[in-house]
Short mmCIF file of all heavy atoms in Angstrom, two decimals:
data_model
loop_
_atom_site.label_atom_id
_atom_site.label_comp_id
_atom_site.label_asym_id
_atom_site.label_seq_id
_atom_site.Cartn_x
_atom_site.Cartn_y
_atom_site.Cartn_z
N SER A 47 98.02 99.87 73.08
CA SER A 47 96.76 100.39 73.62
C SER A 47 96.30 99.58 74.83
O SER A 47 95.86 100.13 75.85
CB SER A 47 95.69 100.36 72.53
OG SER A 47 94.44 100.79 73.04
N THR A 62 101.16 103.03 95.11
CA THR A 62 100.60 103.82 96.21
C THR A 62 100.63 103.04 97.51
O THR A 62 101.06 103.56 98.55
CB THR A 62 99.15 104.22 95.87
OG1 THR A 62 99.13 104.99 94.66
CG2 THR A 62 98.55 105.05 96.99
N ILE A 91 109.14 109.69 98.73
CA ILE A 91 108.32 110.88 98.49
C ILE A 91 108.37 111.31 97.03
O ILE A 91 107.34 111.57 96.41
CB ILE A 91 108.78 112.02 99.42
CG1 ILE A 91 108.49 111.67 100.88
CG2 ILE A 91 108.09 113.34 99.04
CD1 ILE A 91 109.08 112.64 101.88
N ILE A 95 105.47 111.46 93.93
CA ILE A 95 105.27 112.62 93.06
C ILE A 95 105.36 112.20 91.59
O ILE A 95 104.57 112.63 90.75
CB ILE A 95 106.30 113.72 93.38
CG1 ILE A 95 106.05 114.28 94.78
CG2 ILE A 95 106.25 114.84 92.34
CD1 ILE A 95 107.11 115.25 95.25
N LEU A 97 104.71 109.27 90.27
CA LEU A 97 103.53 108.50 89.88
C LEU A 97 102.33 109.40 89.61
O LEU A 97 101.62 109.23 88.61
CB LEU A 97 103.19 107.48 90.96
CG LEU A 97 104.07 106.24 91.08
CD1 LEU A 97 103.58 105.35 92.21
CD2 LEU A 97 104.10 105.46 89.77
N TYR A 98 102.11 110.37 90.49
CA TYR A 98 100.88 111.15 90.39
C TYR A 98 101.01 112.40 89.52
O TYR A 98 100.00 112.90 89.03
CB TYR A 98 100.39 111.52 91.80
CG TYR A 98 99.70 110.35 92.46
CD1 TYR A 98 100.39 109.44 93.24
CD2 TYR A 98 98.34 110.14 92.26
CE1 TYR A 98 99.75 108.35 93.82
CE2 TYR A 98 97.70 109.05 92.83
CZ TYR A 98 98.41 108.16 93.60
OH TYR A 98 97.77 107.09 94.16
N TYR A 105 97.92 108.57 82.04
CA TYR A 105 96.95 107.48 82.09
C TYR A 105 95.54 108.00 81.83
O TYR A 105 94.76 107.37 81.10
CB TYR A 105 97.02 106.79 83.45
CG TYR A 105 96.02 105.67 83.61
CD1 TYR A 105 96.11 104.52 82.85
CD2 TYR A 105 94.98 105.79 84.53
CE1 TYR A 105 95.18 103.49 82.99
CE2 TYR A 105 94.05 104.76 84.69
CZ TYR A 105 94.16 103.62 83.92
OH TYR A 105 93.24 102.61 84.06
N SER A 161 129.27 109.57 107.91
CA SER A 161 127.87 109.17 107.77
C SER A 161 127.09 109.62 109.00
O SER A 161 127.24 109.06 110.08
CB SER A 161 127.77 107.65 107.61
OG SER A 161 126.43 107.23 107.64
N TYR A 168 121.23 117.63 104.76
CA TYR A 168 121.83 118.70 103.97
C TYR A 168 121.99 118.28 102.52
O TYR A 168 121.74 119.07 101.59
CB TYR A 168 123.19 119.09 104.56
CG TYR A 168 123.12 120.03 105.74
CD1 TYR A 168 124.22 120.23 106.57
CD2 TYR A 168 121.95 120.70 106.04
CE1 TYR A 168 124.16 121.07 107.68
CE2 TYR A 168 121.86 121.54 107.14
CZ TYR A 168 122.97 121.73 107.96
OH TYR A 168 122.89 122.56 109.04
N TYR A 199 111.45 122.94 69.30
CA TYR A 199 112.29 122.32 68.28
C TYR A 199 113.60 123.07 68.14
O TYR A 199 113.69 124.27 68.42
CB TYR A 199 111.56 122.32 66.93
CG TYR A 199 110.42 121.32 66.86
CD1 TYR A 199 109.13 121.75 66.59
CD2 TYR A 199 110.63 119.97 67.07
CE1 TYR A 199 108.07 120.84 66.53
CE2 TYR A 199 109.59 119.06 67.01
CZ TYR A 199 108.31 119.51 66.74
OH TYR A 199 107.29 118.62 66.69
N ILE A 210 118.81 115.44 80.39
CA ILE A 210 118.08 114.41 81.11
C ILE A 210 118.83 113.08 81.04
O ILE A 210 118.88 112.32 82.02
CB ILE A 210 116.65 114.27 80.54
CG1 ILE A 210 115.87 115.58 80.77
CG2 ILE A 210 115.92 113.09 81.19
CD1 ILE A 210 114.54 115.62 80.06
N SER A 215 119.89 109.12 83.44
CA SER A 215 120.21 107.78 82.97
C SER A 215 121.69 107.45 82.93
O SER A 215 122.04 106.28 82.81
CB SER A 215 119.63 107.57 81.56
OG SER A 215 118.23 107.60 81.58
N LEU A 216 122.56 108.44 82.99
CA LEU A 216 123.99 108.16 82.84
C LEU A 216 124.74 108.23 84.17
O LEU A 216 125.23 107.20 84.67
CB LEU A 216 124.62 109.14 81.84
CG LEU A 216 126.10 108.90 81.52
CD1 LEU A 216 126.27 107.55 80.84
CD2 LEU A 216 126.65 110.02 80.64
N PRO A 218 123.82 108.82 87.54
CA PRO A 218 123.39 108.05 88.72
C PRO A 218 123.64 106.54 88.59
O PRO A 218 124.19 105.94 89.52
CB PRO A 218 121.90 108.39 88.85
CG PRO A 218 121.75 109.71 88.18
CD PRO A 218 122.72 109.69 87.05
N THR A 223 126.47 102.00 90.56
CA THR A 223 127.17 100.74 90.31
C THR A 223 128.56 100.76 90.95
O THR A 223 128.99 99.79 91.59
CB THR A 223 127.29 100.49 88.80
OG1 THR A 223 125.98 100.47 88.21
CG2 THR A 223 127.97 99.15 88.54
N ASP A 252 123.05 96.79 109.07
CA ASP A 252 123.76 97.43 107.97
C ASP A 252 123.85 96.51 106.76
O ASP A 252 123.74 96.96 105.62
CB ASP A 252 125.17 97.84 108.42
CG ASP A 252 125.15 99.01 109.40
OD1 ASP A 252 124.18 99.78 109.35
OD2 ASP A 252 126.08 99.12 110.21
N LEU A 273 114.37 104.66 78.68
CA LEU A 273 113.55 105.85 78.43
C LEU A 273 114.34 106.93 77.72
O LEU A 273 113.91 107.46 76.69
CB LEU A 273 112.99 106.38 79.76
CG LEU A 273 112.18 107.69 79.64
CD1 LEU A 273 110.92 107.46 78.82
CD2 LEU A 273 111.82 108.23 81.02
N GLU A 279 117.04 108.87 70.61
CA GLU A 279 116.94 108.33 69.25
C GLU A 279 115.90 109.12 68.44
O GLU A 279 116.13 109.44 67.26
CB GLU A 279 116.57 106.85 69.32
CG GLU A 279 116.74 106.09 68.03
CD GLU A 279 115.55 106.23 67.08
OE1 GLU A 279 114.44 106.48 67.57
OE2 GLU A 279 115.76 106.09 65.86
N LEU A 299 108.31 101.29 71.34
CA LEU A 299 109.47 101.19 72.23
C LEU A 299 109.49 102.33 73.24
O LEU A 299 109.89 102.14 74.40
CB LEU A 299 110.75 101.19 71.40
CG LEU A 299 110.94 99.98 70.47
CD1 LEU A 299 112.21 100.15 69.64
CD2 LEU A 299 110.97 98.68 71.25
N LEU A 309 107.74 101.77 86.45
CA LEU A 309 107.85 100.54 87.23
C LEU A 309 108.92 100.68 88.31
O LEU A 309 108.72 100.27 89.45
CB LEU A 309 108.18 99.36 86.30
CG LEU A 309 108.45 98.02 86.97
CD1 LEU A 309 107.19 97.47 87.63
CD2 LEU A 309 109.00 97.01 85.96
N TYR A 316 108.41 96.42 97.59
CA TYR A 316 108.43 94.98 97.39
C TYR A 316 109.87 94.47 97.27
O TYR A 316 110.15 93.34 97.69
CB TYR A 316 107.61 94.64 96.14
CG TYR A 316 106.24 95.27 96.21
CD1 TYR A 316 105.97 96.48 95.57
CD2 TYR A 316 105.23 94.69 96.97
CE1 TYR A 316 104.72 97.07 95.66
CE2 TYR A 316 103.97 95.27 97.07
CZ TYR A 316 103.73 96.48 96.42
OH TYR A 316 102.50 97.08 96.54
N SER A 323 114.96 91.14 106.07
CA SER A 323 114.11 90.45 107.04
C SER A 323 113.55 91.41 108.08
O SER A 323 112.38 91.29 108.49
CB SER A 323 114.91 89.34 107.74
OG SER A 323 116.08 89.86 108.37
N PHE A 325 112.94 94.56 107.55
CA PHE A 325 111.92 95.34 106.85
C PHE A 325 110.63 94.53 106.72
O PHE A 325 109.53 95.08 106.85
CB PHE A 325 112.44 95.73 105.46
CG PHE A 325 111.57 96.72 104.74
CD1 PHE A 325 111.73 98.08 104.94
CD2 PHE A 325 110.59 96.29 103.87
CE1 PHE A 325 110.93 99.00 104.28
CE2 PHE A 325 109.78 97.20 103.20
CZ PHE A 325 109.96 98.56 103.41
N ARG A 326 110.75 93.22 106.47
CA ARG A 326 109.55 92.38 106.41
C ARG A 326 108.83 92.37 107.75
O ARG A 326 107.59 92.40 107.79
CB ARG A 326 109.93 90.94 106.01
CG ARG A 326 110.28 90.78 104.55
CD ARG A 326 110.27 89.31 104.15
NE ARG A 326 111.32 88.56 104.84
CZ ARG A 326 112.55 88.41 104.38
NH1 ARG A 326 112.90 89.00 103.25
NH2 ARG A 326 113.44 87.69 105.03
N GLU A 328 108.86 94.78 110.03
CA GLU A 328 108.21 96.09 110.16
C GLU A 328 106.95 96.15 109.30
O GLU A 328 105.91 96.69 109.72
CB GLU A 328 109.18 97.19 109.74
CG GLU A 328 110.45 97.29 110.57
CD GLU A 328 110.28 98.20 111.77
OE1 GLU A 328 109.15 98.66 112.00
OE2 GLU A 328 111.27 98.43 112.47
N ARG A 330 105.01 93.63 108.30
CA ARG A 330 103.94 92.81 108.89
C ARG A 330 103.30 93.53 110.08
O ARG A 330 102.07 93.46 110.25
CB ARG A 330 104.51 91.46 109.34
CG ARG A 330 104.72 90.46 108.21
CD ARG A 330 104.83 89.05 108.74
NE ARG A 330 106.02 88.90 109.57
CZ ARG A 330 107.19 88.48 109.12
NH1 ARG A 330 107.34 88.20 107.82
NH2 ARG A 330 108.23 88.35 109.92
N PHE A 336 97.04 97.88 110.80
CA PHE A 336 96.00 98.41 109.93
C PHE A 336 94.80 97.47 109.90
O PHE A 336 93.64 97.91 109.93
CB PHE A 336 96.56 98.61 108.53
CG PHE A 336 95.59 99.23 107.57
CD1 PHE A 336 95.20 100.56 107.71
CD2 PHE A 336 95.06 98.49 106.52
CE1 PHE A 336 94.30 101.13 106.83
CE2 PHE A 336 94.17 99.05 105.63
CZ PHE A 336 93.78 100.38 105.79
N ILE A 353 72.62 99.24 118.17
CA ILE A 353 72.02 100.14 119.16
C ILE A 353 70.93 100.97 118.53
O ILE A 353 69.85 101.16 119.08
CB ILE A 353 73.11 101.04 119.77
CG1 ILE A 353 74.04 100.19 120.62
CG2 ILE A 353 72.49 102.16 120.60
CD1 ILE A 353 75.24 100.96 121.12
N ARG A 366 60.53 106.09 128.88
CA ARG A 366 60.34 107.31 128.10
C ARG A 366 59.12 108.11 128.61
O ARG A 366 59.13 109.33 128.63
CB ARG A 366 60.15 106.96 126.62
CG ARG A 366 61.45 106.52 125.94
CD ARG A 366 61.22 106.33 124.47
NE ARG A 366 62.46 106.01 123.80
CZ ARG A 366 62.57 105.77 122.49
NH1 ARG A 366 61.48 105.81 121.73
NH2 ARG A 366 63.75 105.48 121.97
#
Side-chain angles (χ1 to χ4, degrees):
S47 177
T62 301
I91 293 172
I95 293 173
L97 285 180
Y98 281 91
Y105 178 67
S161 173
Y168 279 165
Y199 288 122
I210 296 171
S215 295
L216 184 64
T223 302
D252 289 334
L273 177 64
E279 194 276 334
L299 295 177
L309 175 67
Y316 308 97
S323 57
F325 190 87
R326 285 196 295 271
E328 298 271 6
R330 282 198 295 267
F336 183 70
I353 291 173
R366 287 186 176 179

